[in-house]
Amino acid sequence: MSTIATNNITSTSGTTISVPTGKKIAGTDTGSIYAPGMVIQTAYNNQCNAQTTSSTSLVDTGLTVNITPKFQNSVFIVHSSQNFYVTEEPGTDAQAQFVIQRAISGGSTTQIKEVVVGDHNGSGNRSTTWGENNFTVYDLPNTTSQLTYKTQYKVYNSGWTAGVQTSSQCSHIIVHEVKQ
């Protein structure tokens, strides 16, 4: 086997460099072959443990994922899917806030997405909303330090309760690093 060492490859004529049929160019590590717009790496996690809260401050849902960027100017596309409910019993009104937070190297968090869900038409005996939050977020953290993405939630009144990952439904989070 021969080794060619060079910093640039160019065509002798035209603009195309062809790899013959049946031959491959193989990288030896993640991100060794890339072009703008390509997904460089993907990180995934799921959470299946049911959680509830009556907190009026944001608390973790248990859904989190870490990824260390290969390039400083990469874009991160974050997808999360998380089932939930929010209830007040007895009651006529219940609301909860769900967010995606991002931390760089374990530092302070930055909220990158938010949604408020709720029920304003409860019967007086019970007010409940069930659903699924599906977030897709485009993030530009401008770093090569480890990123942590996580979901959090809270209720707006301490008499209300919200839950996630209920009825044996798992939640998921996927992060793609895209080369720019």
Side-chain angles (χ1 to χ4, degrees), residues 120-140:
H120 297 288
N121 299 309
S123 65
N125 294 323
R126 181 181 189 137
S127 176
T128 302
T129 296
W130 292 83
E132 182 175 49
N133 290 323
N134 290 294
F135 291 134
T136 298
V137 182
Y138 185 89
D139 190 30
L140 298 159

Side-chain angles (χ1 to χ4, degrees), residues 52-60 86 95-99 152-162:
T52 61
T53 189
S54 292
S55 176
T56 57
S57 299
L58 288 170
V59 295
D60 291 347
V86 58
Q95 290 182 320
Q97 176 188 31
F98 295 85
V99 302
Q152 293 185 311
Y153 68 141
K154 71 176 185 177
V155 293
Y156 284 99
N157 181 314
S158 60
W160 303 340
T161 300

Side-chain angles (χ1 to χ4, degrees), residues 100-114:
I100 294 182
Q101 304 271 22
R102 184 236 307 131
I104 299 173
S105 295
S108 61
T109 58
T110 299
Q111 183 175 304
I112 60 172
K113 183 68 177 173
E114 162 193 33

